Amino acid sequence: MNPQELLYAETHEWVAVAEEGGAKVATVGISDFAVEALTDLVYIQFSKSGGDSVSAGDAFGEVESVKAVSDLYSPVTGEVVAVHDKLADKLETLGDDPFGEGWMLKVKIADESSLGKLMDYDAYKKMCAEQ
Amino acid sequence: MRNTLATKLLFELSQPGRRAGLMPACDVPERPAEELLPGECVAVKPPPLPELAEPDVVRHYANLSQQNMSVDTHTYPLGSCTMKYNPKRNERFAALPGMANVHPYQPDESLQGMLQLLYEMQEILAEIGGLDAVSLQPAAGAQGELTALLVAAAYYRDTHQESRRKVLIPDSAHGTNPASAAMAGFDTVTVKSTPKGYVDMDDFRSKLDETVAVFMITNPNTLGMFDREIKRIADEVHEAGGMIYLDGANMNAILGVTRPGDFGADMMHYNPHKTFSGPHGGGGPGAGPIAVRAKLEPYLPSPVVEKTPSGYRLAYDRPKSIGRVRSFFGNTGVLVRAYSYICTHGPDGLKRVAENAVLNANYLLSRVKHIFPVPQGDRCMHEFVASAGQLKADKGISAMDIGKRLLDHGFHAPTVYFPPIVKEAMMVEPTETESKASLDALTATLFRITEEDAEFLHDAPHTTSTSRPDEVAAARTPVLSWKPE
């Protein structure tokens, strides 16, 4: 995934939207900036699984580093269609390929209005620089 | 010269038959234990304890203690932990036989001295906090938080307000706050901070409603800032029918200057090991007494110490109490030291403690800010949070590298990466017991480290017995007990 073409939440999740079987499906992960800020990762755990409904701003899991535990928030509203459970066994993927193999969640979007609140790449970079 | 042989585990040093003393020959007829005790009371084999001579044990602990950093050996600016010097006077007081040798199963009449001390401690902590009633039982600050929230939950149940489910907690709070609220059965809601580190009033107001049970606030907060909106926050929470919990971790900054009860707190805990100079570390024993408003008093843990015409007694007849939270009467040894500290200083002395803690932190801030930016500004209370973010971006030197390298230079590290709202955070709390000379030396050392080679710093510390433990492995696959090979 090209990071410049993604949408971003204030809480550092990225979203890629694609058409799948007539529905819009969002793939969600966390940015390279977030992975870097978390430092050494220890655990990842997902609280949502396929079939669950999720609203924009809901926690769908948490990631733990040697420094802290951070919630993962869904940037979109809809139905969870896939969770990347295998990530837990290969956390290094998050560092190696955060925008690709490091994806975490796929959501069939039910309400597109939540997409409007997300930032484009330039706005997100600007926010990171200010942090 | 470090003796690494002696610092092996005692089980590894053990040699069969080695002893610390030789017993004289027995001068009465010996009979086997099996003849004297019922069969089920006799062990099949001796317990697997290490067998060592006295010098083995003494060298082991003496050498281990030299690998350690402590307030007795080093400046220890570990933010949020208030690593002030622990006066030896407290230790002498706690070692008096009347303090050290009493047993909790003694009848109250034979414990009057200890009970009087504990009763007075309840009164003293209520006065310092500006609150009405105290429980000395909780064994640590975090248990104090949990106890107070259980008390709040009992109060809401008793007054038929079970719909109060929400506990509001700023994003700068200690992690124990949301953990305590969740364990007490509440839902936690995070309130944002402004860039200056105060509660974001708009975000706070958007989350305040009739389901709020408690707002847990640390004031001064973990950024070392006193939230000047505290009275307004408390008034609005009270108006909505909720209560204010004050995390008393930072009481060292306001002792005798202001009181939580005066700025709106309904409940609070103390950390006597921080504020009142009890020894830290080793996982305890600690204490986390709580103080509450009168309306919450019936729900406090049992027993409390009561003063009656015939003397002091432990009162158990408290039908609304949440019950016991700790065996016996908590860790009285820490409370005895705190009592000694408080009585040594008196009201004026405690106020000077706070004034000098704030003065020292501001002096250090005024020097350190020329090396590291301090995002929350030019003034602080008892501690401040500097950021190594720019240094990380420019030279790749992180807060972790600086903390580790400080050990080589004979300073304990500041608290790093907390609070999480500051990038590459270094939380520095000098306390009132450091001299100007040691603060100047710390500043000079911090500056010197920023000039050092980044690669060299990534491998620091270079002079300690262990350099960088594998933190990921420690978290993922901890080895918690020794097993024979």
Side-chain angles (χ1 to χ4, degrees):
Chain A
M1 228 92 55
N2 179 354
Q4 297 189 10
E5 292 166 4
L6 302 173
L7 295 171
Y8 295 87
E10 269 181 37
T11 45
H12 301 287
E13 292 83 7
W14 55 260
V15 180
V17 182
E19 292 277 347
E20 276 182 39
K24 279 195 170 170
V25 172
T27 303
V28 178
I30 60 172
S31 72
D32 54 351
F33 179 87
V35 174
E36 164 85 20
L38 285 165
T39 69
D40 296 328
L41 300 175
V42 178
Y43 285 112
I44 191 164
Q45 197 173 19
F46 297 109
S47 53
K48 299 277 182 191
S49 50
D52 288 352
S53 62
V54 66
S55 297
D58 282 359
F60 66 86
E62 56 186 30
V63 58
E64 181 176 345
S65 73
V66 293
K67 288 185 334 203
V69 181
S70 306
D71 280 324
L72 301 163
Y73 297 103
S74 174
V76 293
T77 300
E79 183 196 330
V80 177
V81 288
V83 173
H84 196 178
D85 288 320
K86 289 192 183 121
L87 213 47
D89 300 323
K90 42 173 189 172
L91 278 172
E92 62 283 0
T93 317
L94 271 179
D96 298 341
D97 189 10
F99 296 107
E101 272 308 295
W103 71 273
M104 296 175 175
L105 193 71
K106 287 185 199 281
V107 179
K108 187 157 70 171
I109 299 175
D111 174 7
E112 289 190 32
S113 67
S114 51
L115 293 174
K117 293 184 184 140
L118 301 174
M119 286 171 269
D120 65 12
Y121 180 75
D122 289 339
Y124 177 67
K125 278 282 144 187
K126 191 159 167 278
M127 186 194 88
C128 292
E130 284 164 5
Q131 282 195 349
Chain B
M1 236 52 67
R2 188 172 290 127
N3 183 344
T4 52
L5 178 66
T7 57
K8 285 177 151 183
L9 298 179
L10 289 176
F11 283 94
E12 294 170 320
L13 294 169
S14 175
Q15 294 290 333
R18 197 173 279 186
R19 289 288 179 273
L22 282 175
M23 291 293 159
C26 187
D27 60 357
V28 293
E30 275 191 64
R31 286 171 63 192
E34 293 80 358
E35 287 179 20
L36 299 168
L37 294 167
E40 71 270 19
C41 295
V42 182
V44 182
K45 56 180 182 183
L49 296 174
E51 299 179 79
L52 296 153
E54 184 171 320
D56 298 334
V57 178
V58 170
R59 283 180 192 157
H60 174 76
Y61 287 110
N63 280 288
L64 274 185
S65 73
Q66 289 173 22
Q67 297 187 3
N68 207 8
M69 286 191 135
S70 70
V71 281
D72 281 357
T73 54
H74 296 88
T75 298
Y76 213 120
L78 188 65
S80 200
C81 295
T82 315
M83 301 300 287
K84 64 171 77 178
Y85 174 72
N86 304 160
K88 299 303 169 229
R89 177 190 177 89
N90 301 346
E91 299 303 318
R92 288 196 293 275
F93 181 61
L96 293 174
M99 297 295 157
N101 297 343
V102 291
H103 193 281
Y105 280 148
Q106 282 176 228
D108 287 355
E109 313 79 79
S110 71
L111 279 173
Q112 287 295 302
M114 177 61 93
L115 291 180
Q116 180 182 347
L117 183 151
L118 295 173
Y119 177 80
E120 288 178 10
M121 198 64 181
Q122 289 174 178
E123 301 284 295
I124 288 168
L125 293 181
E127 172 64 26
I128 292 173
L131 290 164
D132 304 309
V134 166
S135 169
L136 300 175
Q137 252 183 52
Q143 197 191 12
E145 292 172 23
L146 174 61
T147 304
L149 287 172
L150 290 171
V151 164
Y155 167 78
Y156 285 128
R157 262 198 310 278
D158 204 31
T159 53
H160 310 292
Q161 300 183 70
E162 286 97 336
S163 59
R164 294 196 175 273
R165 305 267 324 129
K166 269 199 319 204
V167 171
L168 303 183
I169 303 171
D171 56 11
S172 59
H174 298 107
T176 50
N177 287 186
S180 298
M183 279 195 73
F186 292 105
D187 302 324
T188 61
V189 178
T190 304
V191 177
K192 284 187 201 151
S193 299
T194 64
K196 283 283 171 202
Y198 302 115
V199 170
D200 181 328
M201 294 300 282
D202 293 335
D203 194 51
F204 156 65
R205 286 178 179 135
S206 75
K207 288 162 180 170
L208 181 64
D209 57 30
E210 70 288 347
T211 66
V212 167
V214 179
F215 188 107
M216 294 182 87
I217 187 163
T218 312
N219 198 28
N221 65 22
T222 58
L223 293 156
M225 310 298 287
F226 189 90
D227 204 314
R228 278 166 282 190
E229 298 285 358
I230 184 67
K231 190 73 174 69
R232 189 162 294 135
I233 293 169
D235 286 348
E236 291 182 21
V237 168
H238 289 149
E239 191 129 320
M243 292 190 281
I244 298 285
Y245 180 86
L246 181 97
D247 180 326
N250 298 334
M251 280 300 287
N252 210 43
I254 58 171
L255 280 177
V257 178
T258 182
R259 306 188 303 172
D262 296 345
F263 58 69
D266 302 289
M267 311 173 267
M268 66 172 293
H269 79 262
Y270 289 92
N271 297 96
H273 56 284
K274 298 181 185 178
T275 314
F276 304 124
S277 82
H280 284 61
I290 57 170
V292 299
R293 284 207 194 280
K295 68 176 181 183
L296 298 172
E297 190 276 335
Y299 310 96
L300 285 178
S302 280
V304 293
V305 185
E306 270 184 3
K307 188 179 182 180
T308 73
S310 58
Y312 298 92
R313 64 184 275 268
L314 290 172
Y316 290 90
D317 39 345
R318 301 166 41 75
K320 291 192 171 181
S321 166
I322 61 164
R324 246 183 208 295
V325 297
R326 177 71 171 78
S327 56
F328 298 122
F329 206 76
N331 291 322
T332 51
V334 187
L335 299 171
V336 167
R337 288 168 176 83
Y339 178 89
S340 165
Y341 181 84
I342 291 168
C343 294
T344 301
H345 284 81
D348 295 334
L350 289 181
K351 189 176 175 191
R352 282 204 299 279
V353 164
E355 288 168 350
N356 284 318
V358 173
L359 179 64
N360 264 4
N362 278 282
Y363 175 71
L364 194 56
L365 166 60
S366 73
R367 309 258 346 241
V368 167
K369 73 177 182 188
H370 300 295
I371 312 171
F372 301 106
V374 178
Q376 274 69 38
D378 287 343
R379 282 285 175 271
C380 65
M381 295 294 287
H382 60 298
E383 68 189 356
F384 60 90
V385 180
S387 171
Q390 198 56 49
L391 192 66
K392 176 97 187 283
D394 294 347
K395 295 189 185 174
I397 298 171
S398 67
M400 181 68 84
D401 294 336
I402 294 163
K404 296 286 188 188
R405 182 63 178 149
L406 274 172
L407 306 179
D408 285 332
H409 288 287
F411 291 92
H412 195 277
T415 297
V416 292
Y417 300 106
F418 185 84
I421 53 179
V422 175
K423 207 180 199 179
E424 294 292 323
M426 294 186 294
M427 187 191 214
V428 187
E429 180 180 17
T431 83
E432 72 282 6
T433 57
E434 290 304 319
S435 64
K436 179 174 177 293
S438 66
L439 300 182
D440 288 340
L442 174 60
T443 314
T445 304
L446 281 170
F447 179 70
R448 189 146 38 119
I449 291 173
T450 61
E451 302 280 290
E452 289 187 308
D453 174 55
E455 285 305 314
F456 181 72
L457 292 178
H458 296 331
D459 294 331
H462 299 278
T463 59
T464 55
S465 61
T466 303
S467 182
R468 294 218 182 185
D470 183 343
E471 292 181 51
V472 174
R476 290 190 72 119
T477 50
V479 180
L480 299 176
S481 60
W482 178 82
K483 290 191 182 71
E485 287 178 24

